[in-house]
Amino acid sequence: MKVLVATARTQGARANDYHWATEGELVRVGEVCRRDRDDPDGGCGCGRGFAGLNSHRATTTARVAQVPLTRPEYVEAVRSSLQAQGWDPCACCSTDEADDLAEYVAGWPVGTIVERRLDLLHVRALPNELAA
């Protein structure tokens, strides 16, 4: 299935980029704190970051990837990550989040690099642009 994974590709396109996640790990769109909720360039950085499901670290760039996961496995990855971080995720919340993420990237080609600006994801680079 197509999902978002952490990547360092295109890091530095914005002066406040960061990449602390593990390259290639599954990511999600995390919660935004009060400090950043109105400004993705706020002091925290959570309004522009993707949260790594395994490392629990963040990055400002993610790549659309085709991974050998079934939908139930992807839902479980989201659920278990949230639980490991101290959240009490219900099955429907984890399913909704996984489905929303998969639906969001469905129209983008594999290899597309995206950035986050609060609740919106924007294409930073398409695969053919990266090859040049």
Side-chain angles (χ1 to χ4, degrees):
M1 78 181 294
K2 274 204 288 190
V3 298
L4 289 174
V5 299
T7 188
R9 300 285 307 262
T10 74
Q11 282 287 307
R14 289 186 185 270
N16 58 4
D17 276 344
Y18 57 83
H19 181 69
W20 300 309
T22 302
E23 187 73 23
E25 78 174 300
L26 298 171
V27 296
R28 61 183 286 271
V29 176
E31 293 73 22
V32 178
C33 72
R34 181 181 315 221
R35 192 171 173 188
D36 279 13
R37 72 175 162 211
D38 295 322
D39 180 8
D41 297 312
C44 174
C46 63
R48 61 184 179 276
F50 298 93
L53 294 191
N54 190 45
S55 69
H56 308 263
R57 307 278 299 183
T59 181
T60 52
T61 50
R63 176 176 52 86
V64 177
Q66 186 73 40
V67 298
L69 286 177
T70 64
R71 181 179 168 274
E73 290 168 335
Y74 186 48
V75 169
E76 177 56 22
V78 171
R79 189 206 63 74
S80 63
S81 177
L82 290 169
Q83 185 176 30
Q85 294 174 65
W87 296 95
D88 186 15
C90 64
C92 63
C93 295
S94 300
T95 300
D96 288 349
E97 183 169 346
D99 286 347
D100 288 348
L101 284 167
E103 183 179 318
Y104 211 122
V105 303
W108 289 327
V110 170
T112 300
I113 308 298
V114 299
E115 67 178 1
R116 175 182 179 195
R117 307 298 288 163
L118 298 175
D119 293 333
L120 300 174
L121 303 185
H122 300 280
V123 172
R124 195 179 261 198
L126 293 169
N128 61 338
E129 297 167 340
L130 295 168

